[in-house]
Amino acid sequence: MAYTPPIAARIDHMEMVDIVKQFPGVRANDHVCLDVHAGEVHAILGENGAGKSTLMRQLYGMYQPDEGEIRINGEPIAFRKPLDAIRAGIGMIHQHFMLVPTMTVAQNVALGQPSTRGVRLDLDVVSERIVRLSEEYGLAVEPDAAIWQLSVGEQQRVEILKALDLGASLIILDEPTAVLTPQEVSDLFATLKRMVAEGHSLLFISHKLHEVLEVSDRVTVLRDGVTVGTRPTNDTSRDELVKMMVGRDLKRHEHRAVGCGDDGLTISALHVDGDRGEEIVRGVDLTVRCGEILGIAGVSGNGQRELAEALAGMRPITAGTVVIHGNDLTHVGLNERVKAGLSFIPEERMRDGAIGEFTVQENVFLRDHESPEFRRGPFLRFGDMARHASRLVEEYAVKTPTLDTPLKNLSGGNIQKLILARELSRRPTVLIAAQPTRGVDIGATEYIHKTLLEQRDDGTAILLISEDLDEILSLADRVAVIYNGRIVGTVDRAVAEPHSIGLLMAGIYE
Amino acid sequence: MKTRQFACVVVMLLVAAMTVSASGQAEPMADDEGAFRIAVVMPSATTDTAFSQSMYSALVTVQEEMGGESAIELVYSETMFVVPDAAAAVRDYATQGYDLIVAHGSQYGSFIQDMAPEFPETAFAWGTDVNTFGLDNVYAYTAAAEQGGYVNGVMAGIMSAGGQIGVTGPVEVGDARTYISGFVQGVESVNPAAQVSQTWTGSFSDVALMTAAAQTHIANGADVLTGSSQSVVGSIGAAQEAGDVLWFGTQADQTSLAPELVVASQVYDWTDMLTEMIENAKSGVYGGEAYVLTLQNGGLKIGYNDGFDIPAEAIDAAEAAIAGIIDGSIVVEP
Amino acid sequence: MNEILSATVITGMLNTMFTLATPLLFAALGETFAQKSGVVNLGVDGIMLMSAFAAFYVVLQTTNLWLGLLAAVAVGFGMGLIMSFVSVTMKAEQGVSGIGLQMFGLGMSSLLFKVMVGTVKTVSGFPRLEIPLLSRIPFFGPVFFNSNILVYIAFALVPICWWILERTTIGLMIKAVGQNPAAADSRGINVDLVRYGSVCFGAILAGVAGASISISIVNLFQDNLTAGQGFIAVALVYFGGWTPIGVMFGALLFSVANSFQLWMQVLGVNVPASIANMLPYVLTIVALTVTVYRGRAPAALNRPFLRGEN
């Protein structure tokens, strides 16, 4: 059932050759090739949906390739389950941490490993090993701390310790920097360098160019499941990698002069509690003018989600006011806000924005089924509803087989486009967009960005909340940075520098 | 895909459960032309040595007496403790044209009242109760359980050495309540100093709690126990384990459960009533009458345990009580 | 009312408490394992009924009590396999499959009883086992050391179950699978196997719980013998905050309330029986609402695991 001790296999060279993986309706990997040597960081670069995670899950035994083979030190090997990969010396740091939050660090490290005392747990022995590894690789963590008490950066260290303690010599890091502050990123990179110096092989998955350029020895770019190419990092450039990733040059959006419109959304001294009753948003003041996009940048978990939910009327406001076009809407529900001209694109789109089991058409009318346009007395006018839904689907280029397809069968990008279509079809004057392109493919992302800019040009006041700084910088007219529930700085995009914004995001200000 | 697979499995399980409960019941014994067809629906098993068994064995006796399976067709649904299930079963039997349908449970009254007018050619009997709802195709029947309770109580009062007597009841309704009421009066009439303690478990079927209740009485010094419902098998078991504790039964003859400690049982005998209902139906009368089993009309009998050495004093007192009840000189409050 | 505080009454009450608590404790300890691994098994009552019948029937035929217990264990294991197959392998809705199992157990045990036994029969069950010397201790002896062997086993299981869950690699795996199956999977643990093991272990204990009714408390079998005790056991797992010790206190509280209300009735305390009957339930609910400490449910409770979907 569990793991048996490592076979002391050092991986000098791992190759994935002509890997093909087919899922219903999509070829996630199409003859992908990749190799990594001991003491090397090989970065895998690609947009969301390019097939990076699928490729890595096959290397870790979570999926089996349909075609192609994996070779370790020249020998072909098949991984039927993660245990096989673990035994071969492969470790994986997942983007969503694979930790048991209620358990301690030592318990998480001990999980699935044989104890030195047979069936009895040997947490003291495991703790000693953790302390030793921590010192060796600069991964400070307290073995007896419970996972839920740790910061995200510390949790990631636990993940790395887990892999090292299992004796992994090849470690896959799946988007390891997505949730880290810039300071934590540089700590991580220091650790990675020590691991490479010890002879580990690292596969570093990312879609952030500057990190890839900083940390890797070689880069392989994937696009739509196909290998675009592999380059030594020293011989390539940012522009070349962008072109390989996206297939063309990225268009830079133009930013608007600030201060043109009236105040659309005014937030004053807003306080909001989190799920556990602790204060999460601690006094936010913001004004979004008509015809501008105000971007809120920040590292995940600094109050963005709670702020967005409070503005949408889904979470009670404990103090402060929310005013839309001069109407105080602090304590009214979502429906009242919608009538006042507000639309909301939620972060958890499948929880708060749509119902997966419902059809495309039903999802279009989740909220507007009461609108007189689609009602005759107590009855719904299905003919008009179908016409409206199909117009939206066409206008917003939502790819769906029929209007009666359950929404959950659509891709993330198409679901998001449908939600956007529905929210914008109400012609809002204030739009709150929370993480509008997270998990959305690049085509849809570009479409969503274009739509948001058009809305702005039509005079809508848009509050864009995103953890992707690149997205904020490319769309926003002004950038506000949220840290620990407060706005710690607001700058005009025209004069904003990524570096100074990064410092603010890390809580370094004044 | 998966959804469908597991749905199949669950459905399979449910179907299995339903077939199981259904197959245990309807056992048509004859379908000859001209046979009188009787169906009975009961809350517990035909073998509960109590309420349901008293009716089922009476029906079997009537069947034998009136010419066996060719003359009387008898089917039954047992363990119908869920009332809507019982209602569905009764409706099925009525639709299939059964001549007499016995709904053997006081909880079944309301649906009989609703259903009977739809089937005017069918005789419905239900109990224990006395209400025919003014319908001419509904019989009601009950047992004056307090009468046998009184007789049992007289014997218990005489035979209890320590004067501590325990009553283990299920739910304080119907013949369970009236039996115990009569029992207490009987004890008082011969042994006013005796202490009668009562417990109610709140369930007709919780045998484990009934056992614990009996053990509690015994720990409190009780040397005679009685009680009613199918869960009294737990009380009898507790008495057996303790030893030196006597038992008085009701509803059916419980001697077979513990020959060494059962003194006597009040036995319900529904045969005369059933015979009359059948004869009535054959001559076109389908109901409108309420029957009460009493010692007078022979519907209630006291079954002594022949294998038990009952003191003559107790037998004499019991016979005197029976005579007194029959001639009206003793009045027992229900 | 003073009588209720006399030594005889308290001794009797506590002794009855241990007897009544035994089936609940077996079943609830077993259910704790199933739930710790993320599976809610609502079929406990059905397993108890089937095993109660199996134990009773084997003892009726052979008079060998240990053989009867073994039959209960085997039937419990078999029912556990069915539950695991439906809820773990087929990933069915656990509530529905548990209720299916319960209905199956209720109907099937009645049918088998009818076909194979037919009428009320009694067996001689596990006798009271007075522990030499200890049972002579005034007051404590009759309360603690004068019960049948299954009662001792049930209470001995409490520290054993705690030890397995808190101090062994197996316990760590069970808890990890119940909290975050994806994390366990990524450590090479076979999530489905751990769940099968936990559910089947729980079902075996439910089987023993059934046997403890049919061949130790009442020594007979009847339709619906358990009268819903399996559901009480499931509730006790929540009450006990998913810990063996909490579950034990829950079972004791429920049972002492029951034996207390029986004594109240026997001693003629002037309370309507229907009110007294409610006491265990009311007390349990009150205790549940006023307790400050409340255990956390396993995060993956009731959620089937499918690799790559989380």
Side-chain angles (χ1 to χ4, degrees):
Chain A
M1 185 187 306
Y3 165 77
T4 47
I7 318 160
R10 209 181 96 117
I11 299 179
D12 291 318
H13 189 205
M14 188 289 299
E15 298 158 273
M16 296 183 85
V17 183
D18 281 333
I19 300 291
V20 175
K21 182 70 189 173
Q22 182 82 33
F23 288 122
V26 56
R27 183 165 271 212
N29 289 149
D30 190 357
H31 296 94
V32 174
C33 297
L34 180 75
D35 75 312
V36 63
H37 295 277
E40 180 191 37
V41 180
H42 191 142
I44 302 163
L45 192 62
E47 286 292 335
N48 287 323
K52 299 168 300 192
S53 289
T54 304
L55 186 67
M56 291 303 107
R57 285 176 173 199
Q58 292 171 83
L59 180 55
Y60 197 58
M62 295 171 77
Y63 302 145
Q64 284 72 49
D66 297 332
E67 287 176 36
E69 68 180 19
I70 298 170
R71 294 180 203 146
I72 287 181
N73 299 340
E75 294 293 318
I77 189 164
F79 299 141
R80 303 195 165 282
K81 51 188 185 294
L83 190 57
D84 298 338
I86 293 170
R87 283 189 175 136
I90 295 172
M92 182 160 180
I93 315 300
H94 295 267
Q95 186 179 0
H96 301 287
F97 296 151
M98 294 294 184
L99 295 169
V100 183
T102 49
M103 292 184 179
T104 66
V105 172
Q107 284 175 324
N108 270 280
V109 173
L111 181 60
Q113 289 209 60
S115 159
T116 54
R117 300 195 190 110
V119 75
R120 276 167 61 213
L121 277 174
D122 56 347
L123 292 178
D124 50 332
V125 177
V126 173
S127 297
E128 279 170 29
R129 293 207 303 263
I130 292 172
V131 170
R132 210 168 51 236
L133 284 168
S134 301
E135 285 166 5
E136 198 175 335
Y137 292 97
L139 294 160
V141 319
E142 174 58 47
D144 295 329
I147 297 296
W148 61 268
Q149 298 172 313
L150 302 182
S151 73
V152 175
E154 286 172 309
Q155 293 188 18
Q156 189 174 60
R157 280 177 231 154
V158 179
E159 283 285 35
I160 296 172
L161 282 170
K162 276 167 60 182
L164 290 172
D165 191 57
L166 276 179
S169 64
L170 186 161
I171 295 179
I172 305 160
L173 298 124
D174 189 0
E175 304 265 3
T177 60
V179 291
L180 301 183
T181 62
Q183 179 56 40
E184 285 173 328
V185 169
S186 70
D187 288 349
L188 171 68
F189 285 178
T191 299
L192 297 186
K193 284 186 178 123
R194 287 205 218 183
M195 289 162 67
V196 170
E198 296 275 332
H200 288 92
S201 330
L202 301 180
L203 284 169
F204 184 91
I205 300 167
S206 183
H207 61 259
K208 293 184 184 166
L209 288 164
H210 57 277
E211 290 175 353
V212 166
L213 289 167
E214 182 184 338
V215 82
S216 70
D217 301 305
R218 281 192 294 158
V219 189
T220 290
V221 178
L222 296 187
R223 188 174 70 229
D224 297 332
V226 180
T227 318
V228 183
T230 301
R231 303 276 186 277
T233 311
N234 290 335
D235 290 353
T236 185
S237 67
R238 190 191 150 87
D239 287 344
E240 186 192 16
L241 292 177
V242 168
K243 210 177 274 179
M244 286 165 74
M245 262 168 80
V246 182
R248 60 190 147 74
D249 291 317
L250 261 193
K251 195 173 77 189
R252 295 262 169 188
H253 301 296
E254 95 187 57
H255 299 281
R256 303 243 304 199
V258 179
C260 43
D262 303 332
D263 291 353
L265 170 69
T266 310
I267 305 163
S268 312
L270 194 74
H271 290 259
V272 181
D273 286 348
D275 294 334
R276 287 186 225 139
E278 75 289 19
E279 190 169 82
I280 293 278
V281 176
R282 313 166 188 214
V284 164
D285 294 286
L286 282 175
T287 299
V288 190
R289 301 187 193 99
C290 295
E292 79 162 351
I293 296 179
L294 174 64
I296 295 191
V299 177
S300 173
N302 275 294
Q304 295 97 318
R305 183 167 65 86
E306 290 79 4
L307 174 63
E309 287 175 5
L311 293 177
M314 293 161 58
R315 184 178 281 273
I317 291 167
T318 50
T321 56
V322 175
V323 175
I324 293 176
H325 299 306
N327 302 323
D328 185 340
L329 299 174
T330 311
H331 297 295
V332 304
L334 184 52
N335 282 339
E336 305 299 315
R337 291 176 199 226
V338 167
K339 281 181 198 149
L342 180 105
S343 272
F344 178 52
I345 297 173
E347 174 177 345
E348 297 279 344
R349 70 180 76 102
M350 294 312 287
R351 191 190 71 189
D352 299 332
I355 300 175
E357 278 69 26
F358 279 23
T359 65
V360 169
Q361 179 175 332
E362 284 165 341
N363 270 289
V364 167
F365 288 96
L366 275 188
R367 185 138 45 231
D368 291 334
H369 59 267
E370 290 196 349
S371 148
E373 215 182 317
F374 304 112
R375 255 182 18 180
R376 186 176 290 118
F379 302 106
L380 293 170
R381 296 159 61 159
F382 280 100
D384 291 348
M385 288 168 76
R387 270 189 291 284
H388 178 72
S390 71
R391 196 171 62 239
L392 286 185
V393 162
E394 198 173 320
E395 198 175 312
Y396 285 82
V398 179
K399 282 182 208 144
T400 174
T402 67
L403 290 177
D404 296 327
T405 306
L407 192 74
K408 64 179 179 188
N409 294 358
L410 269 54
S411 75
N414 282 306
I415 292 173
Q416 190 70 329
K417 281 198 276 186
L418 188 78
I419 292 174
L420 193 71
R422 181 185 74 202
E423 295 303 316
L424 295 182
S425 70
R426 279 204 293 273
R427 313 220 156 277
T429 53
V430 174
L431 176 67
I432 296 171
Q435 316 280 8
T437 60
R438 182 150 85 182
V440 167
D441 60 87
I442 187 138
T445 298
E446 210 177 20
Y447 186 87
I448 291 165
H449 285 174
K450 182 169 75 82
T451 310
L452 289 176
L453 291 167
E454 284 168 8
Q455 284 290 311
R456 175 197 69 183
D457 295 343
D458 285 353
T460 308
I462 299 176
L463 183 68
L464 170 69
I465 299 174
S466 176
E467 284 156 23
D468 181 349
L469 188 54
D470 293 338
E471 176 169 61
I472 299 261
L473 292 175
S474 75
L475 294 179
D477 303 307
R478 284 190 301 146
V479 181
V481 179
I482 190 166
Y483 176 76
N484 205 9
R486 293 195 185 85
I487 300 296
V488 294
T490 308
V491 287
D492 289 345
R493 171 65 186 98
V495 298
E497 275 183 65
H499 176 71
S500 57
I501 291 177
L503 285 177
L504 288 171
M505 284 165 66
I508 301 162
Y509 49 95
E510 287 160 346
Chain B
M1 276 309 236
K2 289 271 178 197
T3 324
R4 210 156 291 163
Q5 278 172 312
F6 76 64
C8 289
V9 171
V10 171
V11 166
M12 198 183 72
L13 271 179
L14 294 180
V15 168
M18 283 167 188
T19 21
V20 162
S21 38
S23 65
Q25 292 138 17
E27 288 178 13
M29 296 188 181
D31 52 359
D32 291 355
E33 194 70 25
F36 190 83
R37 304 173 75 204
I38 304 178
V40 56
V41 176
M42 296 167 289
S44 52
T46 55
T47 54
D48 66 352
T49 65
F51 186 65
S52 294
Q53 184 166 350
S54 73
M55 177 54 73
Y56 183 69
S57 38
L59 282 164
V60 171
T61 308
V62 168
Q63 186 183 38
E64 281 164 13
E65 282 174 359
M66 300 187 78
E69 291 177 16
S70 56
I72 305 255
E73 179 197 331
L74 175 60
V75 296
Y76 65 93
S77 295
E78 62 183 347
T79 60
M80 290 276 134
F81 46 86
V82 180
V83 174
D85 291 351
V90 168
R91 179 172 285 281
D92 281 348
Y93 290 132
T95 312
Q96 289 165 28
Y98 278 82
D99 299 302
L100 170 62
I101 297 173
V102 182
H104 192 52
S106 48
Q107 65 269 47
Y108 298 155
S110 59
F111 70 75
I112 293 295
Q113 181 176 13
D114 291 343
M115 216 180 283
E118 292 177 45
F119 303 95
E121 300 285 292
T122 303
F124 292 89
W126 79 288
T128 53
D129 207 293
V130 291
N131 190 351
T132 60
F133 312 117
L135 296 169
D136 59 10
N137 64 335
V138 173
Y139 292 108
Y141 59 82
T142 189
E146 66 276 10
Q147 296 186 348
Y150 187 90
V151 179
N152 277 355
V154 165
M155 284 187 278
I158 291 170
M159 292 173 72
S160 170
Q164 182 70 43
I165 295 169
V167 174
T168 57
V171 181
E172 214 171 347
V173 295
D175 63 338
R177 191 186 61 73
T178 55
Y179 167 74
I180 285 161
S181 165
F183 183 86
V184 172
Q185 293 169 56
V187 173
E188 272 173 8
S189 72
V190 294
N191 188 352
Q195 186 80 32
V196 184
S197 301
Q198 301 178 25
T199 54
W200 303 90
T201 59
S203 161
F204 286 101
S205 61
D206 195 335
V207 184
L209 195 57
M210 194 56 104
T211 307
Q215 284 167 346
T216 306
H217 284 293
I218 294 165
N220 191 42
D223 55 7
V224 174
L225 294 180
T226 189
S228 129
S229 92
Q230 64 268 30
S231 57
V232 291
V233 289
S235 309
I236 299 173
Q240 270 179 314
E241 193 192 320
D244 282 341
V245 176
L246 304 179
W247 177 263
F248 287 90
T250 184
Q251 295 178 329
D253 192 335
Q254 292 166 348
T255 302
S256 64
L257 288 174
E260 74 281 12
L261 53 89
V262 175
V263 178
S265 304
Q266 164 173 242
V267 181
Y268 293 179
D269 184 353
W270 308 102
T271 48
D272 290 349
M273 174 190 89
L274 290 167
T275 310
E276 193 176 319
M277 286 177 185
I278 294 166
E279 297 301 339
N280 284 351
K282 285 179 178 165
S283 58
V285 176
Y286 301 113
E289 200 176 338
Y291 290 94
V292 181
L293 299 190
T294 60
L295 290 168
Q296 289 95 326
N297 64 22
L300 294 181
K301 293 191 178 77
I302 299 299
Y304 300 105
N305 178 358
D306 296 336
F308 192 94
D309 188 18
I310 309 172
E313 182 198 358
I315 297 259
D316 293 346
E319 289 301 324
I322 293 170
I325 291 168
I326 290 176
D327 70 22
S329 62
I330 296 175
V331 177
V332 187
E333 298 297 329
Chain C
M1 195 66 199
N2 286 334
E3 278 180 298
I4 211 152
L5 297 171
S6 76
T8 332
V9 172
I10 291 179
T11 314
M13 199 155 83
L14 295 181
N15 197 275
T16 306
M17 167 184 82
F18 284 117
T19 310
L20 288 178
T22 297
L24 293 174
L25 187 55
F26 275 121
L29 284 175
E31 180 72 4
T32 304
F33 274 82
Q35 294 205 7
K36 276 279 184 189
S37 80
V39 181
V40 177
N41 182 1
L42 287 182
V44 178
D45 204 54
I47 299 173
M48 285 171 72
L49 281 167
M50 286 294 284
S51 294
F53 174 74
F56 166 77
Y57 186 72
V58 168
V59 174
L60 188 67
Q61 297 299 324
T62 67
T63 71
N64 186 328
L65 289 164
W66 295 105
L67 217 52
L69 196 62
L70 191 68
V73 165
V75 168
F77 180 70
M79 301 273 285
L81 277 181
I82 297 174
M83 180 68 197
S84 317
F85 176 74
V86 176
S87 65
V88 178
T89 306
M90 305 306 283
K91 313 207 183 296
E93 173 60 46
Q94 292 173 8
V96 178
S97 37
I99 293 293
L101 197 68
Q102 186 264 335
M103 290 174 68
F104 171 78
L106 177 62
M108 189 54 116
S109 61
S110 293
L111 175 68
L112 292 176
F113 174 67
K114 192 178 166 56
V115 172
M116 297 167 74
V117 183
T119 182
V120 179
K121 281 188 183 145
T122 54
V123 294
S124 81
F126 284 101
R128 280 182 192 275
L129 191 67
E130 292 190 18
I131 300 201
L133 299 179
L134 291 177
S135 62
R136 303 273 179 83
I137 304 171
F139 183 70
F140 293 102
V143 171
F144 294 109
F145 303 109
N146 183 23
S147 300
N148 71 65
I149 187 140
L150 292 182
V151 178
Y152 302 131
I153 294 177
F155 284 87
L157 271 176
V158 174
I160 294 172
C161 289
W162 174 85
W163 185 78
I164 293 174
L165 284 172
E166 299 302 326
R167 289 286 181 269
T168 67
T169 53
I170 297 163
L172 194 66
M173 279 194 266
I174 292 172
K175 289 189 291 181
V177 164
Q179 288 286 355
N180 188 347
D185 181 57
S186 79
R187 290 297 270 180
I189 292 169
N190 185 334
V191 171
D192 286 1
L193 189 60
V194 170
R195 287 188 167 170
Y196 261 81
S198 305
V199 171
C200 288
F201 179 71
I204 286 173
L205 288 192
V208 176
S212 77
I213 299 177
S214 70
I215 61 173
S216 123
I217 298 181
V218 304
N219 299 330
L220 53 84
F221 188 84
Q222 220 184 32
D223 291 354
N224 194 17
L225 180 75
T226 56
Q229 288 190 62
F231 290 101
I232 302 282
V234 175
L236 288 178
V237 174
Y238 289 78
F239 178 90
W242 293 269
T243 63
I245 290 136
V247 160
M248 180 186 77
F249 281 120
L252 287 176
L253 178 72
F254 187 84
S255 307
V256 81
N258 239 332
S259 61
F260 176 75
Q261 63 105 351
L262 289 175
W263 272 103
M264 275 199 335
Q265 292 191 47
V266 164
L267 296 178
V269 176
N270 200 10
V271 173
S274 47
I275 302 290
N277 292 154
M278 282 193 285
L279 187 68
Y281 303 92
V282 171
L283 203 60
T284 308
I285 291 168
V286 168
L288 195 57
T289 36
V290 299
T291 347
V292 182
Y293 164 76
R294 225 167 297 159
R296 280 289 228 26
L301 196 58
N302 231 334
R303 283 217 295 258
F305 173 66
L306 202 61
R307 186 175 287 158
E309 266 188 20
N310 43 46

